[in-house]
Amino acid sequence: QVQLVESGGGLAQAGGSLRLSCAATGSIFSINDMGWYRQTPGKQRELVAVSTSGGTTNYADSVKGRFTISRDNAKNTVYLQMNSLKPEDTAVYYCTAHLLSAVTVTFRDYWGQGTQVTVSS
């Protein structure tokens, strides 16, 4: 069974930094895109950053220049380094991966359980 396990959320002051990690575990053949979304109450989940298997990265305009996504393919892990945090970055952050499960032998999207990031002013 495939799971995405997130860690690294918490409380930070404005201008501070946090680093999120997400490890894909279970029977996995291969992983294409890995990324991060975030959601605040009453709003739709929005893309923060994505990393493709080919090495391309894309970011939401609101985080460009402040957040960096990276991945360790040997560990099936994606990271999100968040610098110069702002109160508006406060949200639940979700990891996602588009991967091929060895059990179902199909590509599909998997999601982590979410980790809270709170930035105080």
Side-chain angles (χ1 to χ4, degrees), residues 21-107:
S21 299
C22 172
T25 64
S27 300
I28 299 169
F29 273 145
S30 67
I31 302 178
N32 286 350
D33 297 354
M34 298 188 82
W36 294 92
Y37 282 69
R38 66 187 181 187
Q39 189 171 24
T40 54
K43 293 188 177 182
Q44 286 191 334
R45 196 171 293 187
E46 65 173 1
L47 174 69
V48 176
V50 63
S51 171
T52 71
S53 58
T56 302
T57 57
N58 287 293
Y59 297 90
D61 288 342
S62 59
V63 306
K64 282 181 181 176
R66 300 187 299 119
F67 291 9
T68 302
I69 189 170
S70 61
R71 60 195 282 179
D72 184 336
N73 291 326
K75 296 180 179 180
N76 289 340
T77 299
V78 64
Y79 306 95
L80 186 68
Q81 178 66 44
M82 305 184 292
N83 298 328
S84 302
L85 283 163
K86 302 176 180 180
E88 50 264 43
D89 294 319
T90 296
V92 177
Y93 284 71
Y94 296 90
C95 167
T96 184
H98 188 70
L99 61 84
L100 179 62
S101 164
V103 174
T104 64
V105 199
T106 56
F107 274 101

Side-chain angles (χ1 to χ4, degrees), residues 10-25:
L11 177 65
Q13 290 189 332
S17 299
L18 286 173
R19 188 185 192 220
L20 306 182
S21 299
C22 172
T25 64

